[in-house]
Amino acid sequence: MAATDPLVLPRDLLIIPVTEVSDEVRRQFDCADTDYAVTRPHARTRSQIIDAAGAQLLEEFRKPKTIVEAILAYSRAQQVDPEETLERSFPFLCDLSRARFLVPADSLEANRIEPVFAAGETVAGWEVLRCVQVLDDTEVYQVRDAAGRLGALKCVRPGPRGHLAAAFRREATVLRHLDGTSNPALLAEGTHEGRPYLLLEWVAGVNAAVAAEELRRLETADASPKLLALGCAIAEAYAWLHAHQAVHGDVHPRNVLVDEQGRVKLVDFGQAQLDPAPADFAAPRRAGIGFFFEPEYAQALRQQQPPPAASPRGEQYALGALLEFLFTGAHYLDFSVEPEKMFRQITEDPPLPFARRGRAPWPEVEGVLARALCKDPAERFASIADLARALRAAEASGHARPLRAADPSRNGTPSPPPGAALLETTLQGLGTSSDLLARGVPAPPTGSVNYGAAGIAYLFYRVACLRGDPRLLATADLWANRARRESTSADAFYNPAMNITEDIVGRIALYHTASGIHCVQALISQALGDRFSARTAVQQFIAAARLPCSNLDLTLGQSSILIGCATLQEALAESAAADAPGLAELGQEVLQGVWSQLDGYGPVGECAELSWLGIAHGWAGILYATLRWCQAARRPLPPAFRARLEQLAACAQPAGRGLCWPRLSRRGTGAREPWTGWCHGSAGYVFLWTLAHQVTGAEQFLRLAQGAAWHTWEEAGSNGSSLCCGWAGRAYALLNLYKCFGDSAWLERARELGWRAAAAWASPASTKHSLYKGEVGGALLAADLAQPVSSCMPLFEAEG
């Protein structure tokens, strides 16, 4: 680093007060409340702690400056001596330069760490579907060839990274040596624009930490056997590797992938060793994550000596550390992140018992791990195969144990269902004594199902049905009358400030216009036994639904009318249905109109006329509405229906243990990255594929539903808590799969998402009383989670 060269902070470098860092992370550092953490997302470099003066100096490099320029600017601002500041801070700046937190202004390292390739680009003859990992030196993409075969493209990022070329050649050599049982197969290797790449078999699954954390968190009756079975499968994968004369050399959770059936594959063989090694095999430098270093490695680093090569017994220690982390959710020691202290802990300190991690004691397993974690290699198991057999023996003992230590403060009291407080507060706040019932929803749209009084009426109607409570049903009727009165107001259905206008939401949509009000009123009147009012409301629904509309989609167009027709057809008793002439005719008329238009469109994955794929505005929603109507009315599906369904199924992409769908077809303009929410993402597809299975009986659709549910569950990101885009809609999707399979694990997952929704709920004032965007929907989810067998996504699923 020359003092005359302009330096700059990378554009994505973060300088964060330690007071904003979680307590768990802070405990790993020796820091004061006035200190700052320096970190760079996606970089391999360890975060550092600096004091406030260092943070202020470092901020001078947000724009390119030489060291002298930065010191002078800082000294003027702080009124300190520049020469003394330079002498004191130069070593500090050199350390940050070596850590690549401070880089040459004209270097590639100054840019954000972002994917180089976009979805749809072609690399080495393969189409890029999405980026699955990006680090400062490498990237991994999911790709597809012309035959539809999926692969993983692992490539070096732009920049001077000659050392990675050797690592890629080494990984290719190791993968060719192995048979693919516990490793991805190598499909091809080469260079693209001068950068090495590997094309690997696509391995579906999530990393071991995600799979284990799910089992620990759900705490179902079979959680501990499943967790132990996972540990056994991981140990056997490493044992298989060693049996083929290979040592992985980089043990950590992200290098272990677990699929939906608990099968394991190991990935990232850039640090692997072969014994005997081929003549042209370049031995790797030791690397890895410190939490999983064996004592022999840590001792060499303490003494500043060359580290030993990765070995089977050294890898056994790393595996023991990994398994303890997976079983308890914490590392086997309270590690310091300061290297010297960490290396001393690894060489000297015994592993902590499970009880110190808030976990129930598990002597059969803890004894196995204690031997694997012996400081003396000679005292460990003779091989990982022996370790795996010892774990299997513990599994065979059949002692299922609670994963978490008993909490005496709970005294066996069950936790309240997710959102229970929100439900009761909402029912009370919107009940018969509420000012809102007299004044109406304060912000437009005031009358619609999605945002206004009709959605509130539906909440009371559904909770009344779930509880068998006539008082709540009467309140539902009051809110439905409120909605009907609102329907003549200019604010009933539109709000330009929220971009909800007639041009956007149209005039017939069930969720946004008068048709939804009449549908809800018909449901409530039928539940009250008022056949005359029910018949009147159905006729009003039919009239409102016949207004002109060219939009086909489920939330804004004609397919929403199919949902309304199906819901009313199912809810009305046979005698009441006979009093509602025109409902079946309307449903068939809409169905034929929709499909006559679809028949002129291209294939789903290539269609430019309808490029959205998801439930709210795309193919999935139209197909779902078609299934709902044909099932409710006992009518045959359109002739082209099955072909369209299979075209949409072919757009699926593996993700983790599940499947996802891009938001747009290849002809669509805009972002194609998959989402998880109901509106455009995998949650919506769960409903489609379970219903397709019910109607057609085809098992393939059940597998697609499971795949969509796994992606709905696994992806952490969420666009809030709403039914439309967020946690609540995702919870309803998992409830749907639970009803289909009866598997309690999916119910527990749905409840977990319900907890996340309840914890994160904070609706803006403009959407607070919204069914699909606000807390009214969250309250209804709480009621459905309490009676999951009777649950249904509001005005979407069949009510049963």
Side-chain angles (χ1 to χ4, degrees):
M1 181 180 70
T4 57
D5 293 336
L7 301 174
V8 71
L9 299 178
R11 291 186 178 89
D12 49 0
L13 186 83
L14 303 176
I15 304 175
I16 308 168
V18 296
T19 53
E20 298 180 10
V21 176
S22 70
D23 291 341
E24 180 181 356
V25 174
R26 286 185 66 184
R27 282 194 292 269
Q28 300 175 26
F29 293 93
D30 182 11
C31 59
D33 287 348
T34 55
D35 288 342
Y36 287 75
V38 182
T39 189
R40 189 179 187 192
H42 306 297
R44 296 185 187 271
T45 308
R46 182 185 293 113
S47 300
Q48 293 189 21
I49 299 295
I50 60 176
D51 60 20
Q56 291 170 333
L57 174 57
L58 206 53
E59 289 289 354
E60 294 292 338
F61 291 97
R62 288 294 180 188
K63 294 183 178 180
K65 287 186 179 75
T66 66
I67 289 178
V68 171
E69 290 171 338
I71 292 292
L72 289 174
Y74 169 81
S75 299
R76 282 194 299 270
Q78 303 299 320
Q79 297 183 344
V80 294
D81 180 70
E83 290 189 15
E84 182 181 332
T85 301
L86 176 60
E87 182 178 353
R88 187 178 64 251
S89 61
F90 190 76
F92 161 73
L93 296 175
C94 288
D95 287 343
L96 292 175
S97 176
R98 283 191 290 270
R100 314 315 294 163
F101 287 151
L102 195 58
V103 299
D106 59 354
S107 69
L108 291 172
E109 293 175 288
N111 298 325
R112 294 179 181 275
I113 302 174
E114 296 176 324
V116 173
F117 303 121
E121 288 190 52
T122 299
V123 181
W126 292 65
E127 179 193 3
V128 173
L129 298 178
R130 60 192 179 96
C131 182
V132 295
Q133 183 187 66
V134 58
L135 297 171
D136 51 4
D137 54 1
T138 57
E139 300 174 328
V140 180
Y141 295 86
Q142 185 184 67
V143 294
R144 176 174 54 198
D145 69 4
R149 179 176 52 161
L150 291 175
L153 173 70
K154 180 178 180 180
C155 59
V156 175
R157 284 177 58 80
R161 309 186 192 279
H163 66 288
L164 287 176
F168 273 46
R169 287 193 297 272
R170 182 186 314 111
E171 182 164 10
T173 299
V174 173
L175 293 177
R176 280 194 296 268
H177 169 78
L178 300 173
D179 65 5
T181 299
S182 292
N183 64 279
L186 178 68
L187 304 180
E189 60 178 314
T191 59
H192 178 80
E193 297 178 348
R195 292 183 285 136
Y197 71 81
L198 299 175
L199 268 168
L200 310 172
E201 167 197 10
W202 179 258
V203 177
V206 293
N207 74 62
V210 172
E213 197 270 340
E214 175 190 334
L215 292 171
R216 295 193 310 269
R217 185 172 68 236
L218 294 178
E219 297 189 37
T220 52
D222 59 351
S224 63
K226 285 186 175 180
L227 195 57
L228 183 52
L230 173 62
C232 292
I234 293 171
E236 287 163 355
Y238 281 100
W240 171 90
L241 192 67
H242 290 187
H244 286 74
Q245 295 78 50
V247 177
H248 188 276
D250 191 12
V251 175
H252 63 77
R254 291 192 301 278
N255 282 344
V256 180
L257 295 183
V258 184
D259 72 9
E260 77 281 2
Q261 295 180 355
R263 295 172 299 202
V264 167
K265 283 207 174 184
L266 309 178
V267 297
D268 197 353
F269 287 79
Q271 299 296 321
Q273 301 264 28
L274 288 176
D275 185 18
D280 60 346
F281 189 81
R285 294 184 302 173
R286 289 299 304 271
I289 295 177
F291 303 131
F292 306 100
F293 287 176
E294 71 270 27
E296 307 90 275
Y297 185 6
Q299 184 64 20
L301 294 174
R302 288 182 75 187
Q303 297 175 350
Q304 298 184 348
Q305 295 178 351
S311 67
R313 291 214 184 189
E315 191 142 285
Q316 180 185 151
Y317 188 96
L319 177 60
L322 171 63
L323 293 175
E324 178 133 350
F325 176 72
L326 299 180
F327 290 155
T328 68
H331 293 293
Y332 69 100
L333 295 171
D334 287 327
F335 282 114
S336 169
V337 294
E338 297 176 35
E340 290 300 321
K341 292 182 180 179
M342 175 185 286
F343 300 152
R344 183 205 60 77
Q345 290 174 304
I346 294 170
T347 56
E348 298 178 6
D349 293 353
L352 297 172
F354 283 20
R356 286 281 299 274
R357 299 308 191 193
R359 300 290 165 184
W362 203 348
E364 302 92 339
V365 171
E366 291 183 72
V368 174
L369 298 186
R371 184 171 177 184
L373 290 168
C374 283
K375 306 300 181 183
D376 183 351
E379 296 180 7
R380 299 170 199 157
F381 290 98
S383 68
I384 287 183
D386 287 345
L387 184 156
R389 282 190 285 271
L391 282 178
R392 285 294 183 193
E395 181 185 40
S397 67
H399 296 304
R401 295 179 177 275
L403 293 176
R404 190 177 298 277
D407 182 357
S409 65
R410 293 179 60 178
N411 294 322
T413 304
S415 300
L422 175 63
L423 171 60
E424 297 309 320
T425 300
T426 302
L427 293 178
Q428 183 175 355
L430 297 174
T432 52
S433 60
S434 168
D435 291 340
L436 283 177
L437 188 55
R439 292 185 288 107
V441 175
T446 58
S448 69
V449 166
N450 198 320
Y451 288 99
I456 298 173
Y458 188 83
L459 164 69
F460 278 94
Y461 156 73
R462 279 291 299 156
V463 178
C465 292
L466 290 169
R467 295 181 177 180
D469 189 330
R471 291 174 299 177
L472 292 178
L473 190 58
T475 306
D477 195 39
L478 292 174
W479 272 106
N481 287 323
R482 172 87 251 176
R484 194 169 62 252
R485 291 196 301 274
E486 292 284 347
S487 65
T488 59
S489 165
D491 291 338
F493 308 121
Y494 308 117
N495 183 346
M498 297 171 65
N499 211 27
I500 303 171
T501 64
E502 184 174 333
D503 288 342
I504 293 175
V505 303
R507 302 172 64 194
I508 71 166
L510 182 74
Y511 303 100
H512 293 282
T513 71
S515 68
I517 292 177
H518 301 313
C519 180
V520 171
Q521 180 65 75
L523 294 173
I524 294 169
S525 296
Q526 176 66 15
L528 287 167
D530 184 350
R531 289 179 56 186
F532 175 80
S533 295
R535 180 179 60 190
T536 301
V538 170
Q539 293 305 312
Q540 291 170 332
F541 166 79
I542 293 170
R546 290 192 182 278
L547 294 174
C549 176
S550 60
N551 193 327
L552 300 183
D553 78 40
L554 183 139
T555 56
L556 304 178
Q558 297 177 51
S559 293
S560 73
I561 298 304
L562 290 178
I563 296 292
C565 288
T567 302
L568 292 172
Q569 186 78 19
E570 291 163 341
L572 297 175
E574 288 188 10
S575 57
D579 290 340
L583 187 63
E585 289 82 355
L586 173 65
Q588 282 303 109
E589 177 186 318
V590 172
L591 183 74
Q592 291 167 6
V594 168
W595 279 88
S596 65
Q597 192 166 337
L598 290 181
D599 286 342
Y601 291 176
V604 171
E606 303 288 341
C607 184
E609 299 92 341
L610 181 59
S611 57
W612 292 104
L613 298 184
I615 281 287
H617 304 296
W619 283 96
I622 296 172
L623 295 173
Y624 178 82
T626 299
L627 284 166
R628 285 276 287 115
W629 169 246
C630 291
Q631 182 187 51
R634 298 184 176 90
R635 298 294 181 98
L637 292 165
F641 179 85
R642 185 64 177 260
R644 293 300 196 182
L645 199 61
E646 291 176 353
Q647 290 168 9
L648 182 61
C651 296
Q653 300 171 2
R657 287 173 286 186
L659 296 170
C660 62
W661 280 257
R663 283 177 283 163
L664 290 162
S665 71
R666 295 183 187 182
R667 297 289 188 89
T669 57
R672 297 180 61 220
E673 291 80 8
W675 279 7
T676 54
W678 171 85
C679 54
H680 286 292
S682 47
Y685 286 93
V686 176
F687 298 98
L688 170 64
W689 300 122
T690 56
L691 187 56
H693 168 69
Q694 291 170 16
V695 173
T696 69
E699 290 296 318
Q700 70 190 81
F701 300 131
L702 207 53
R703 291 191 292 271
L704 291 170
Q706 288 179 288
W710 275 116
H711 186 252
T712 300
W713 163 246
E714 287 173 354
E715 289 295 308
S718 179
N719 294 324
S721 295
S722 72
L723 295 183
C724 178
C725 312
W727 296 118
R730 292 166 68 177
Y732 267 116
L734 302 192
L735 281 175
N736 175 275
L737 198 72
Y738 162 69
K739 290 185 296 181
C740 183
F741 277 98
D743 183 347
S744 62
W746 287 111
L747 175 58
E748 290 303 312
R749 294 178 184 118
R751 285 175 173 156
E752 171 64 22
L753 295 188
W755 279 116
R756 295 183 202 178
W761 220 293
S763 302
S766 59
T767 60
K768 181 178 178 65
H769 303 105
S770 166
L771 177 62
Y772 263 75
K773 299 286 189 179
E775 295 174 19
V776 170
L780 183 51
L781 171 63
D784 277 326
L785 284 169
Q787 298 188 47
V789 174
S790 303
S791 65
C792 74
M793 184 88 167
L795 272 186
F796 179 69
E797 275 187 274
E799 293 182 359

